[in-house]
mmCIF file of all heavy atoms in Angstrom:
data_model
loop_
_atom_site.group_PDB
_atom_site.id
_atom_site.type_symbol
_atom_site.label_atom_id
_atom_site.label_comp_id
_atom_site.label_asym_id
_atom_site.label_seq_id
_atom_site.Cartn_x
_atom_site.Cartn_y
_atom_site.Cartn_z
ATOM 1 N N LEU A 179 -10.886 24.628 2.837
ATOM 2 C CA LEU A 179 -9.758 24.020 2.041
ATOM 3 C C LEU A 179 -8.706 23.479 2.973
ATOM 4 O O LEU A 179 -8.148 22.369 2.828
ATOM 5 C CB LEU A 179 -9.250 25.024 1.009
ATOM 6 C CG LEU A 179 -10.108 25.325 -0.143
ATOM 7 C CD1 LEU A 179 -9.487 26.440 -0.997
ATOM 8 C CD2 LEU A 179 -10.606 24.224 -0.987
ATOM 9 N N ARG A 180 -8.362 24.325 3.934
ATOM 10 C CA ARG A 180 -7.306 23.911 4.944
ATOM 11 C C ARG A 180 -7.787 22.682 5.602
ATOM 12 O O ARG A 180 -7.039 21.717 5.943
ATOM 13 C CB ARG A 180 -6.993 25.060 5.822
ATOM 14 C CG ARG A 180 -6.089 26.159 5.244
ATOM 15 C CD ARG A 180 -5.605 27.091 6.247
ATOM 16 N NE ARG A 180 -6.663 27.875 6.862
ATOM 17 C CZ ARG A 180 -7.053 29.068 6.409
ATOM 18 N NH1 ARG A 180 -6.433 29.503 5.326
ATOM 19 N NH2 ARG A 180 -8.006 29.722 7.010
ATOM 20 N N THR A 181 -9.042 22.722 6.018
ATOM 21 C CA THR A 181 -9.565 21.521 6.882
ATOM 22 C C THR A 181 -9.574 20.213 5.909
ATOM 23 O O THR A 181 -9.188 19.154 6.385
ATOM 24 C CB THR A 181 -10.987 21.773 7.247
ATOM 25 O OG1 THR A 181 -10.960 22.900 8.124
ATOM 26 C CG2 THR A 181 -11.576 20.604 8.104
ATOM 27 N N THR A 182 -9.975 20.446 4.674
ATOM 28 C CA THR A 182 -9.934 19.284 3.693
ATOM 29 C C THR A 182 -8.549 18.775 3.593
ATOM 30 O O THR A 182 -8.315 17.515 3.584
ATOM 31 C CB THR A 182 -10.407 19.719 2.304
ATOM 32 O OG1 THR A 182 -11.812 20.245 2.532
ATOM 33 C CG2 THR A 182 -10.483 18.559 1.413
ATOM 34 N N MET A 183 -7.571 19.609 3.413
ATOM 35 C CA MET A 183 -6.131 19.117 3.317
ATOM 36 C C MET A 183 -5.668 18.431 4.537
ATOM 37 O O MET A 183 -5.042 17.402 4.477
ATOM 38 C CB MET A 183 -5.319 20.335 3.022
ATOM 39 C CG MET A 183 -5.505 20.982 1.619
ATOM 40 S SD MET A 183 -4.463 22.510 1.362
ATOM 41 C CE MET A 183 -5.136 23.073 -0.172
ATOM 42 N N GLN A 184 -6.089 18.956 5.673
ATOM 43 C CA GLN A 184 -5.691 18.322 6.984
ATOM 44 C C GLN A 184 -6.349 16.895 7.058
ATOM 45 O O GLN A 184 -5.719 15.980 7.540
ATOM 46 C CB GLN A 184 -6.087 19.214 8.143
ATOM 47 C CG GLN A 184 -5.199 20.507 8.304
ATOM 48 C CD GLN A 184 -5.747 21.432 9.310
ATOM 49 O OE1 GLN A 184 -6.747 21.182 9.942
ATOM 50 N NE2 GLN A 184 -5.002 22.590 9.448
ATOM 51 N N LEU A 185 -7.594 16.859 6.683
ATOM 52 C CA LEU A 185 -8.269 15.591 6.700
ATOM 53 C C LEU A 185 -7.632 14.565 5.736
ATOM 54 O O LEU A 185 -7.578 13.391 6.049
ATOM 55 C CB LEU A 185 -9.838 15.722 6.407
ATOM 56 C CG LEU A 185 -10.608 16.461 7.451
ATOM 57 C CD1 LEU A 185 -12.072 16.676 6.905
ATOM 58 C CD2 LEU A 185 -10.664 15.551 8.710
ATOM 59 N N ARG A 186 -7.253 15.145 4.534
ATOM 60 C CA ARG A 186 -6.559 14.211 3.559
ATOM 61 C C ARG A 186 -5.217 13.695 4.194
ATOM 62 O O ARG A 186 -4.866 12.641 4.098
ATOM 63 C CB ARG A 186 -6.288 15.039 2.370
ATOM 64 C CG ARG A 186 -5.657 14.222 1.234
ATOM 65 C CD ARG A 186 -6.702 13.286 0.621
ATOM 66 N NE ARG A 186 -6.175 12.630 -0.591
ATOM 67 C CZ ARG A 186 -6.855 12.021 -1.477
ATOM 68 N NH1 ARG A 186 -8.237 12.086 -1.336
ATOM 69 N NH2 ARG A 186 -6.346 11.353 -2.484
ATOM 70 N N GLU A 187 -4.488 14.603 4.795
ATOM 71 C CA GLU A 187 -3.231 14.256 5.466
ATOM 72 C C GLU A 187 -3.533 13.130 6.586
ATOM 73 O O GLU A 187 -2.794 12.132 6.717
ATOM 74 C CB GLU A 187 -2.526 15.443 6.106
ATOM 75 C CG GLU A 187 -1.953 16.286 5.051
ATOM 76 C CD GLU A 187 -1.173 17.465 5.710
ATOM 77 O OE1 GLU A 187 -1.308 17.630 6.938
ATOM 78 O OE2 GLU A 187 -0.609 18.283 4.911
ATOM 79 N N ALA A 188 -4.535 13.394 7.341
ATOM 80 C CA ALA A 188 -4.871 12.478 8.420
ATOM 81 C C ALA A 188 -5.351 11.122 7.887
ATOM 82 O O ALA A 188 -4.911 10.030 8.340
ATOM 83 C CB ALA A 188 -5.964 12.953 9.263
ATOM 84 N N ARG A 189 -6.027 11.158 6.780
ATOM 85 C CA ARG A 189 -6.556 9.839 6.158
ATOM 86 C C ARG A 189 -5.321 9.089 5.570
ATOM 87 O O ARG A 189 -5.174 7.895 5.747
ATOM 88 C CB ARG A 189 -7.414 10.044 5.091
ATOM 89 C CG ARG A 189 -8.093 8.808 4.402
ATOM 90 C CD ARG A 189 -9.171 9.145 3.530
ATOM 91 N NE ARG A 189 -8.722 9.688 2.268
ATOM 92 C CZ ARG A 189 -9.506 9.984 1.174
ATOM 93 N NH1 ARG A 189 -10.852 9.726 1.204
ATOM 94 N NH2 ARG A 189 -8.986 10.539 0.071
ATOM 95 N N ALA A 190 -4.312 9.841 4.955
ATOM 96 C CA ALA A 190 -3.106 9.237 4.509
ATOM 97 C C ALA A 190 -2.222 8.632 5.655
ATOM 98 O O ALA A 190 -1.708 7.510 5.468
ATOM 99 C CB ALA A 190 -2.182 10.177 3.649
ATOM 100 N N THR A 191 -2.282 9.352 6.723
ATOM 101 C CA THR A 191 -1.472 8.823 7.916
ATOM 102 C C THR A 191 -2.155 7.516 8.487
ATOM 103 O O THR A 191 -1.538 6.587 8.809
ATOM 104 C CB THR A 191 -1.437 9.928 8.992
ATOM 105 O OG1 THR A 191 -0.808 11.107 8.481
ATOM 106 C CG2 THR A 191 -0.625 9.333 10.225
#
Side-chain angles (χ1 to χ4, degrees):
L179 292 176
R180 285 191 292 269
T181 302
T182 300
M183 293 177 188
Q184 291 169 0
L185 290 175
R186 184 74 175 198
E187 289 181 354
R189 189 172 70 175
T191 302

